[in-house]
Amino acid sequence: MSDLLIHSMAEFSSLILPCLEEAKVSNIAEIGSEFGGMSKLLAEHAGSHGGSLTCIDPEPADGFAGWAAEHSHVHHVSQPSLEALKTSQAVDAWFVDGDHNYYTVFHELCAIDAVQRAADKPLFAFLHDVSWPCARRDFYYSPERVPAGWRHPHSFDHGVKLGDDRVFEGRGLRGMGQFAVALDSGGPRNGVLTAVEDFLREADTEERPLFYVHVPAVLGLGIIFDANASWSAALAEFLLPYHANPLIARLEENRLRNWLEVIDFQDRSV
């Protein structure tokens, strides 16, 4: 079913790559590798600018480790993100597309921010899945990595539907054993967008203000960047037409509803 839905961060390349050029990005770190998708685009950009790409993923897709080993400027860190970030170095841009739950994303952002601050480098981060279905509901690839106090009751067998906070056994958008969904939607410490908002509430200060852009397409792209950076004004001007754009959001809703109808048809046909 996933083959029917465009879901790759690479779909945003026409927005992301100009941003990387404007900010003169050469060294990049990616949490959650996307072999054949965003990882290759980022590797091409880093290589053409004399930089490097660090991919943090404990369980990448088949073939990824071999591909990374073939490129001297691509480094694969086979650890969970929160472990890897303890020893990570600052880079020019971060891509966060790993485990889509509050605990992981919030602490990833806090750790990334600390690394960038320690090196006196601006924060520049791209995050995927900031819109439905992960905006206000945790998804877990590895629930055991989320401490009990942060982990919501969840199921690998249930799915979700647009415009409905309930979960449905064997129906809707679901992981087919690959990931679990939280049984409840909304509330504190639940969902990727909630994690972003809580991080911004703590990290956005008068001394170091942060801009946030939300592109409501392809499951949602979030961009956080340092408002004091020399390139921030140009980036803000370029991205403003896409931020919370109601037409884009409406087209995304229609796309998702059509896709969910296909899933329902497939489920009824089994």
Side-chain angles (χ1 to χ4, degrees):
M1 288 187 291
S2 61
D3 292 341
L4 298 175
L5 176 72
I6 60 170
H7 61 279
S8 170
M9 208 174 187
E11 302 296 340
F12 295 103
S13 60
S14 61
L15 293 182
I16 291 172
L17 294 179
C19 290
L20 300 184
E21 291 288 349
E22 183 64 42
K24 297 180 173 55
V25 168
S26 58
N27 296 309
I28 303 169
E30 178 188 41
I31 295 174
S33 62
E34 190 182 10
F35 183 42
M38 200 63 213
S39 298
K40 287 191 173 180
L41 290 176
L42 296 178
E44 290 173 6
H45 176 90
S48 65
H49 290 73
S52 65
L53 171 65
T54 300
C55 299
I56 301 171
D57 195 326
E59 298 173 351
D62 291 342
F64 176 84
W67 168 79
E70 293 172 358
H71 298 79
S72 60
H73 69 292
V74 177
H75 313 291
H76 175 215
V77 179
S78 183
Q79 289 180 307
S81 60
L82 296 180
E83 291 183 24
L85 284 168
K86 294 176 182 178
T87 56
S88 292
Q89 302 297 312
V91 294
D92 302 316
W94 291 83
F95 286 77
V96 180
D97 193 14
D99 210 1
H100 304 311
N101 57 73
Y102 180 97
Y103 173 82
T104 305
V105 173
F106 178 78
H107 288 92
E108 284 171 342
L109 286 173
C110 290
I112 289 169
D113 191 35
V115 167
Q116 296 300 112
R117 283 176 177 267
D120 197 26
K121 291 178 69 72
L123 176 63
F124 191 18
F126 297 83
L127 302 100
H128 200 201
D129 293 272
V130 294
S131 296
W132 190 90
C134 298
R136 306 299 182 190
R137 186 192 299 272
D138 274 1
F139 279 47
Y140 305 106
Y141 284 108
S142 301
E144 69 278 2
R145 292 187 186 139
V146 178
W150 298 78
R151 188 175 61 238
H152 295 272
H154 55 277
S155 168
F156 281 91
D157 300 318
H158 287 71
V160 296
K161 297 183 179 182
L162 195 62
D164 194 323
D165 287 342
R166 296 176 295 172
V167 293
F168 302 85
E169 187 172 6
R171 292 290 184 269
L173 187 158
R174 57 196 187 277
M176 307 294 288
Q178 295 184 13
F179 61 79
V181 302
L183 299 182
D184 294 319
S185 176
R189 296 182 174 183
N190 198 4
V192 173
L193 183 57
T194 307
V196 171
E197 291 171 344
D198 286 356
F199 166 76
L200 290 171
R201 194 172 294 114
E202 292 187 10
D204 182 14
T205 64
E206 289 186 10
E207 295 76 19
R208 201 285 305 267
L210 296 172
F211 286 151
Y212 175 66
V213 173
H214 189 120
V215 185
V218 194
L219 309 180
L221 176 70
I223 308 171
I224 300 173
F225 55 101
D226 192 329
N228 290 330
S230 60
W231 37 261
S232 66
L235 234 64
E237 183 178 2
F238 172 66
L239 292 169
L240 182 60
Y242 303 96
H243 173 63
N245 185 297
L247 176 59
I248 295 175
R250 183 69 183 91
L251 292 172
E252 171 74 350
E253 179 184 353
N254 184 67
R255 182 182 76 92
L256 289 171
R257 290 193 183 281
N258 287 333
W259 178 64
L260 289 166
E261 285 293 329
V262 172
I263 290 180
D264 283 343
F265 174 78
Q266 292 177 329
D267 289 338
R268 292 194 301 269
S269 300
V270 174

